[in-house]
Amino acid sequence: MTVFLFWYLRRISRTAHDVPWVHLAIGLVGNLAFVVGSLFFLSPALTRAGTWLFVVASWGLLIGVLGEIMVRYETRRRAAAQQPSAPAAVE
């Protein structure tokens, strides 16, 4: 999984700024999986499925947050690149 996260962070820096809604959607799916997983724990027959929903939700939330961090980083990097550099002081 560490290799996947490293690959994801390298690739996402190029496109994260252009599609920030993807990470919000991943986070929303993660939150919904937590809610459904919590409800599954109320039934002994669905406890295993609830556990797996918690695992999937945790990864979804992690990927969503990492993507959001990359969106903010890329936005600041692009804004800094667009600003003209300050002229040198003349004595």
Side-chain angles (χ1 to χ4, degrees):
M1 287 295 173
T2 305
V3 173
F4 172 74
L5 286 176
F6 179 71
W7 173 84
Y8 178 76
L9 289 175
R10 286 190 63 201
R11 298 291 180 207
I12 201 63
S13 65
R14 295 180 185 158
T15 58
H17 183 268
D18 301 328
V19 287
W21 57 268
V22 170
H23 299 101
L24 294 175
I26 292 171
L28 178 63
V29 169
N31 283 323
L32 289 174
F34 268 120
V35 170
V36 173
S38 297
L39 293 174
F40 279 12
F41 273 105
L42 297 176
S43 170
L46 296 174
T47 301
R48 180 171 286 198
T51 302
W52 279 110
L53 279 173
F54 273 30
V55 170
V56 169
S58 297
W59 278 105
L61 291 176
L62 178 63
I63 290 171
V65 167
L66 291 176
E68 183 63 29
I69 289 169
M70 293 307 296
V71 166
R72 292 180 186 198
Y73 170 78
E74 186 69 17
T75 302
R76 287 184 183 177
R77 190 184 69 76
R78 289 184 184 186
Q82 290 178 351
Q83 290 180 352
S85 58
V90 178
E91 292 183 24

